Amino acid sequence: MSNSQSVLSELLRAFPQGRPQLYFKSSLTALSHAMEDQVLADSQNPLIIASFQRERFYRQEAHRYRRIADRSRQVYVLAAPETDFKNNSDRYETIAFDPQDALSQEWHLVVIGQQYASCLICRERPTSAGDVIDNNRRFEGIWTFERSMSQKAAEILLERILSYRPELGPKIRQARRRYLVSPTLTLPTSNQDFQSNPAPFVERLVTYLQAGQYKLIKANRSLSAKEQKERLLNSVTAAIRRSLDPEEILQIAVEKLGEGLGVCRCLIYRCQEEDLDATITHEFLNPGISSLKGRAWPLRENPLFQQVLELRDAVVLDNAPQDPRVLADAFLEKPGPPLGELVASCSILSWMLVPILYRDRLLGMMELHHCGPAPLTWNQDDVALVEAVNLQVGVALIQAEAYANLQDLNEQLEALDRTRSNLVAITGHELRTPLSTIQVCLESLATEPDMAPELRQVMLNTALADAERMRKLVQDFLTLSQLESGRVEWNAEPVSLAECIDLSISHMRAHNRHQTLPRILNQAPLDLPPVQADGEWLVELLAKLLDNAIKFTGAGGQITITAAPKGEGFLEITIADNGRGIEPNRLETVFDRFYQEEGALRRSAGGTGLGLAICRQIVTGWGGEIWAESAGKNLGSQFHFTLPVAPPGAERRESKPKPEPVSAPRFRRSSRRRRPGL
Ligand code: ADP
């Protein structure tokens, strides 16, 4: 059975003068094919013994052996079984040898005919561990037309066959008699046929050698293409890993991939599954190709995008204008132009769409457009490369997103910290200062009964004013926390903006009746439509903005209130002053809680630093926007906010609120809810 003896060694023992040579796998393939063809070319009924190392090598040649079996009844094929190769007597004998047998390391082919005999007896040489390329496999052994050597090789192999399949004894004996025994009696000792005309064999050999060479070149070409793609992927990966800026990452990816694959147009857009369309943000273009950057790209009505979503995989159109998906789209009832128009207007001939996914979440899409002159067929490797790049892009985008979130979080923490120190400073200043003043005034009043009445009055007024300052701070605290907690019940209804402006001006005048105010010009047109707002909060907002404008504008200055329609269904109200202005880099910060430009302890104008934070909460409560503008220090400021116009036909509430000279203005009070505390 299993034999650890090498057939080659056995043969060399019998023919010590034999010189083994080195053969590459491709040469052995060519030689074997040429020898087999020699059998197929004549009808001498030769003996053929072929031993394959593995069943899979035999499978590639099985069809040849079926044809060879038509020429001879003495054909033996040996192989180490892997699936269904087994001992069998059909058109030819198959012998399944033990995979541990030395045969599994060897490659043999013996052909013995009437006019010729040849054998190929080789043993595989172990290759180095890193050498995995099939064509680099090497063998050493004998290839000869020497009849006696071929007969010996056949003898050794028939012996092995017999050990695996003893039932073939009679057939093998017949073979021995016919081809091996007493060669001089029945057979010529030399290859007369071959020697008289070697050309057919040589020609076949050269053809097979060239075919092997061609295969090698092809394999090398695909290897170098693979290597080039791997290098491209590495360079894209390295470049995108260097950045945490998503825009930069996407630009690098389109440029490197577009250039590397030599496409006409490579583009990326970010999108989500439900998006109606996307804006193309990053693009690589070959010269002469029109740009699509900034263009709205259809998604929901685009059958290709929908197919990508469904498959979670790339979609490739080799010939887009003729593609059935593009042609069929023209007959669908849907909004927007058919896909064919897009294909034509963007000159897309071949089209590849590859999703950028991260854990099955769609982050965007990479598209490759080939614009001609002839359509292009992208192969699996090209698609795999784009997918590999997209995988990297997906990870990089998620990392960048996480980093941005972290930065946001950091900024929020910093803002919180600022708020905390401002809170400490302001409460320290705003509560302690008036409290000390009140304490001094009350102590003086208590300890000096003989104090002059005028001085007494001054003391009382000062204590009252400072108590009011403290009340305001506490009130602002409560208002802001109420707004921020979302506990405010908005009572939006159609109200007259003009009335609210009047109310807030009256309140300001009443509140500051002891000081000279800047000139207040109300230029809001009277014929504006009613706005949809909660009147009390609207007055509160206007009053706070006016209060600031008064505080930060000298008595000689001027405050102007204007209002005009803004966009669809909104009014924009502006309170502009020509006071001390705001630095451009502070225009957003002023809306932070406790922000005060001078710092709490050096403030001259009074206030809590909560006013604008409250204003922003009120405006966002009705879906509007608020922002500040200023040309800079001492160049005045403008505070703008937007208000929704009441829907047509909505009843404006008839109310004639009366300005209350001293206390807070009241637009309308609801007992159900907490009202803003003016
Ligand atoms: P404050 O109680 O300090 O007025 P706000 O939140 O209302 O608090 O305002 C925050 C800061 O914004 C003010 O301290 C001031 O520096 C700046 N500011 C607000 N309104 C104006 C304005 N009309 N002109 C210049 N600066 C302003």
Side-chain angles (χ1 to χ4, degrees), residues 440-585:
V440 169
C441 289
L442 293 180
E443 268 172 15
S444 308
L445 287 169
T447 53
E448 293 175 39
D450 300 334
M451 192 185 285
E454 308 79 54
L455 192 57
R456 229 181 152 74
Q457 194 53 48
V458 170
M459 289 282 177
L460 276 172
N461 286 347
T462 310
L464 278 173
D466 277 11
E468 170 62 11
R469 203 166 142 186
M470 284 170 66
R471 188 197 65 80
K472 201 163 172 278
L473 175 66
V474 173
Q475 183 62 59
D476 275 357
F477 260 131
L478 293 176
T479 305
L480 186 62
S481 86
Q482 188 197 1
L483 283 164
E484 284 182 342
S485 69
R487 279 182 283 117
V488 172
E489 201 183 307
W490 299 100
N491 190 16
E493 56 193 346
V495 290
S496 156
L497 176 65
E499 280 179 17
C500 293
I501 295 175
D502 284 346
L503 264 174
S504 53
I505 296 175
S506 316
H507 167 70
M508 277 304 114
R509 289 198 193 286
H511 188 70
N512 298 290
R513 62 189 178 284
H514 299 304
Q515 75 184 85
T516 319
L517 298 184
R519 209 166 145 225
I520 301 178
L521 288 177
N522 179 3
Q523 293 181 344
L526 289 171
D527 57 353
L528 286 172
V531 291
Q532 186 73 7
D534 185 314
E536 284 185 21
W537 286 107
L538 177 55
V539 174
E540 166 90 1
L541 166 72
L542 287 162
K544 282 209 177 305
L545 293 177
L546 271 176
D547 186 36
N548 276 348
I550 291 168
K551 269 193 304 195
F552 301 114
T553 307
Q558 180 171 298
I559 297 167
T560 316
I561 304 168
T562 51
K566 162 106 175 168
E568 212 151 277
F570 276 89
L571 288 184
E572 178 180 328
I573 294 89
T574 304
I575 297 179
D577 63 58
N578 58 359
R580 78 173 194 199
I582 301 169
E583 296 286 358
N585 62 348

Side-chain angles (χ1 to χ4, degrees), residues 548 551-552 577 580 582 590 595-597 607-609 611-612 637:
N548 276 348
K551 269 193 304 195
F552 301 114
D577 63 58
R580 78 173 194 199
I582 301 169
V590 290
Y595 172 79
Q596 288 184 322
E597 200 207 327
T608 59
L612 288 179
S637 322

Side-chain angles (χ1 to χ4, degrees), residues 86-103:
K86 54 182 185 303
N87 292 339
N88 198 14
S89 299
D90 190 4
R91 298 170 71 177
Y92 51 90
E93 304 296 343
T94 54
I95 298 97
F97 60 74
D98 186 337
Q100 304 306 319
D101 199 303
L103 286 171

Side-chain angles (χ1 to χ4, degrees), residues 19-319:
R19 288 277 156 264
Q21 301 229 348
L22 190 74
Y23 295 97
F24 284 106
K25 184 203 151 190
S26 55
S27 323
L28 284 194
T29 310
L31 270 173
S32 301
H33 284 171
M35 283 165 70
E36 287 155 3
D37 279 6
Q38 202 175 14
V39 174
L40 290 169
D42 67 38
S43 51
Q44 289 182 13
N45 199 12
L47 165 69
I48 296 125
I49 307 172
S51 177
F52 294 88
Q53 290 171 279
R54 307 257 180 286
E55 178 185 338
R56 60 174 172 276
F57 302 144
Y58 153 73
R59 293 231 160 274
Q60 295 169 12
E61 309 297 338
H63 65 287
R64 292 173 75 82
Y65 279 85
R66 275 195 290 277
R67 282 169 55 214
I68 286 172
D70 292 340
R71 310 267 158 183
S72 171
R73 305 214 29 237
Q74 287 285 353
V75 181
Y76 301 87
V77 173
L78 299 95
E82 286 169 323
T83 53
D84 55 358
F85 187 86
K86 54 182 185 303
N87 292 339
N88 198 14
S89 299
D90 190 4
R91 298 170 71 177
Y92 51 90
E93 304 296 343
T94 54
I95 298 97
F97 60 74
D98 186 337
Q100 304 306 319
D101 199 303
L103 286 171
S104 66
Q105 304 301 319
E106 299 188 321
W107 176 322
H108 310 307
L109 179 60
V110 180
V111 178
I112 301 179
Q114 297 290 326
Q115 302 298 325
Y116 60 84
S118 61
C119 75
L120 185 62
I121 302 292
C122 291
R123 179 169 48 208
E124 183 158 8
R125 278 167 60 147
T127 41
S128 57
D131 211 349
V132 287
I133 301 168
D134 193 45
N135 280 319
N136 280 358
R137 289 170 61 200
R138 281 162 213 212
F139 295 78
E140 64 178 353
I142 305 280
W143 167 52
T144 179
F145 285 94
E146 184 66 41
R147 180 170 287 275
S148 54
M149 214 174 193
S150 304
Q151 283 177 319
K152 180 65 189 169
E155 181 55 54
I156 299 169
L157 284 167
L158 286 173
E159 217 29 65
R160 297 278 169 112
I161 294 170
L162 209 52
S163 73
Y164 280 102
R165 297 196 57 193
E167 76 279 11
L168 292 181
K171 189 170 179 179
I172 288 176
R173 270 197 296 282
Q174 202 185 7
R176 278 192 181 126
R177 269 200 309 277
R178 192 166 156 72
Y179 303 100
L180 310 183
V181 177
S182 174
T184 45
L185 290 179
T186 52
L187 297 168
T189 48
S190 63
N191 289 293
Q192 290 167 355
D193 188 34
F194 175 73
Q195 278 169 1
S196 61
N197 182 17
F201 182 85
V202 172
E203 271 163 25
R204 280 192 287 266
L205 183 60
V206 169
T207 310
Y208 284 121
L209 280 174
Q210 276 188 325
Q213 187 67 24
Y214 176 69
K215 255 187 178 165
L216 220 77
I217 292 172
K218 233 174 105 182
N220 268 351
R221 232 186 258 144
S222 99
L223 218 78
S224 78
K226 243 192 196 137
E227 202 187 341
Q228 207 178 335
K229 279 177 186 159
E230 244 161 52
R231 246 184 282 129
L232 175 63
L233 178 62
N234 284 345
S235 84
V236 178
T237 310
I240 56 187
R241 289 255 168 94
R242 273 197 291 273
S243 175
L244 274 172
D245 172 4
E247 304 313 311
E248 198 184 347
I249 290 169
L250 297 181
Q251 194 54 35
I252 291 172
V254 278
E255 275 173 16
K256 292 244 174 206
L257 200 64
E259 217 176 286
L261 283 182
V263 290
C264 297
R265 190 189 285 127
C266 179
L267 42 94
I268 289 190
Y269 45 84
R270 299 230 225 173
C271 56
Q272 288 175 1
E273 307 203 3
E274 322 72 42
D275 287 351
L276 187 66
D277 48 33
T279 305
I280 295 171
T281 45
H282 300 85
E283 180 183 62
F284 161 85
L285 286 181
N286 254 345
I289 303 295
S290 60
S291 168
L292 301 180
K293 199 165 172 181
R295 189 162 160 173
W297 204 239
L299 302 183
R300 197 178 299 164
E301 305 300 339
N302 179 345
L304 302 178
F305 179 78
Q306 295 305 326
Q307 195 182 357
V308 170
L309 285 191
E310 202 184 309
L311 300 174
R312 315 308 272 183
D313 206 353
V315 166
V316 180
L317 287 74
D318 289 341
N319 189 347

